[in-house]
Amino acid sequence: MMKLKVSDLQEGLHHSEVVVSIHTTEGDEGLVLGKRSVERGYINVGYPIRIKGSSFLVELPRETSSGKWRVWVDKSQLEDAPEKVVA
Amino acid sequence: MILTDREIRTAIRKGSIIIDPAPSEDAYSSTSVDLTLDPALTIFNEPKDGLGIDTVFDPMMRKVAAEEALKSVTKTIVISEDGFVLNRNKLILGFTREYIDLRVDTKYAARVEGKSSLARLGLSIHITAPTIHAGFDGCVRLEIVNHGPLPIRLRSGMAICQLIFEQTLGTPDKGYNGQFSGQKAE
């Protein structure tokens, strides 16, 4: 499974939450997460939904502040991303 | 399919569903498990009238830090021994004391729903967003509103909502390793 890089960690409204920023191909998105979700600055996003060149469509564990579940991110933002789609 | 109490306990034993701290035996019903209210509440500041200031949330402005905006108009309190009195027609944000983890590679999702005993008093615990998707982990945020005729006293640790677990038909894309099996980045 892949891990997505997150940055700008800030305290959330509740002590169990953290607010992070993720870098998508369309710009940064804010995301509220459970603190336990973040390990070494990465979150688990499962397997890719689609791959186009070096861009990966991934599903986040929660909606972003603008209401998105799935976002396109560059491969550089991912750990353990697959190299290519099997034909 | 909705999971029964037996299926929920089996999923917890297998680690497919995590509820921490674990619910007590009497928190279960045949098809749900009760969760309790965390002492921390987020309260909206009262708007000041007559200042000519118009504050509006615009959720579609992605560049605005929505959570930061929410922080600027709220404060966090801890429920005291006497409880917290929620007045009529007021919205506050609460959380479950329990941490929930629905593993991404399992076939479980859940819905957070109110309890009829509290609904009868006019208390709702979510606003049109009950779904806990496969892969969620964290404490569940509750949008608590008193729609009733009288103020309602909320107490830390009270059973505030119930979770109903559902088994999905198949594995979602993000949990399915088929077409990308065994391939790693260099």
Side-chain angles (χ1 to χ4, degrees), chain A residues 23-55:
Chain A
H23 190 63
T24 79
T25 56
E26 295 176 347
D28 290 348
E29 290 269 358
L31 182 64
V32 179
L33 295 167
K35 274 183 182 165
R36 297 193 203 182
S37 307
V38 184
E39 288 180 22
R40 299 178 295 106
Y42 285 84
I43 58 170
N44 188 348
V45 289
Y47 297 104
I49 312 298
R50 298 283 179 272
I51 301 176
K52 278 186 191 168
S54 67
S55 295

Side-chain angles (χ1 to χ4, degrees), chain A residues 3-10 18-33 38 41-45 56 58-74 77-78, chain B residues 62-63:
Chain A
K3 294 186 184 304
L4 175 65
K5 190 185 294 181
V6 300
S7 58
D8 301 332
L9 275 65
Q10 296 173 37
V18 63
V19 185
V20 302
S21 180
I22 56 172
H23 190 63
T24 79
T25 56
E26 295 176 347
D28 290 348
E29 290 269 358
L31 182 64
V32 179
L33 295 167
V38 184
Y42 285 84
I43 58 170
N44 188 348
V45 289
F56 286 62
V58 299
E59 185 170 309
L60 303 167
R62 297 193 192 182
E63 275 185 37
T64 66
S65 298
S66 63
K68 289 185 174 180
W69 279 100
R70 295 183 174 188
V71 292
W72 287 95
V73 298
D74 188 77
Q77 300 299 307
L78 295 165
Chain B
R62 191 175 65 179
K63 295 300 176 190

Side-chain angles (χ1 to χ4, degrees), chain A residues 1 10-17 19 24 26-30 32-34 36-37 44-51 59-63 65-70 75 80-86, chain B residues 18 20 38 40-42 59-68 70-71 74 76 93 95-96 99 104-105 133-139 141 172-181 183-186:
Chain A
M1 294 209 184
Q10 296 173 37
E11 287 292 317
L13 283 179
H14 187 250
H15 57 77
S16 68
E17 290 189 331
V19 185
T24 79
E26 295 176 347
D28 290 348
E29 290 269 358
V32 179
L33 295 167
R36 297 193 203 182
S37 307
N44 188 348
V45 289
Y47 297 104
I49 312 298
R50 298 283 179 272
I51 301 176
E59 185 170 309
L60 303 167
R62 297 193 192 182
E63 275 185 37
S65 298
S66 63
K68 289 185 174 180
W69 279 100
R70 295 183 174 188
K75 185 179 169 183
D80 295 336
E83 188 59 20
K84 60 182 179 182
V85 182
V86 176
Chain B
I18 293 172
D20 181 24
D38 188 83
L41 296 175
T42 301
M60 295 312 293
M61 282 191 67
R62 191 175 65 179
K63 295 300 176 190
V64 173
E67 202 69 6
E68 201 61 32
L70 205 50
K71 270 186 192 174
T74 59
T76 299
L93 302 178
F95 289 84
T96 61
Y99 164 88
V104 67
D105 51 349
H133 293 259
F136 172 91
D137 76 317
C139 299
R141 188 182 284 201
D173 276 344
K174 69 182 288 190
Y176 178 64
N177 190 21
Q179 60 184 333
F180 308 110
S181 179
Q183 297 193 50
K184 296 280 180 73
E186 293 169 349

Side-chain angles (χ1 to χ4, degrees), chain B residues 99-127:
Chain B
Y99 164 88
I100 308 298
D101 189 344
L102 302 180
R103 295 297 166 92
V104 67
D105 51 349
T106 60
K107 297 180 178 178
Y108 298 119
R111 277 182 290 121
V112 60
E113 297 290 3
K115 291 179 62 61
S116 59
S117 54
L118 297 175
R120 282 194 288 271
L121 305 178
L123 192 75
S124 67
I125 51 84
H126 75 77
I127 301 179

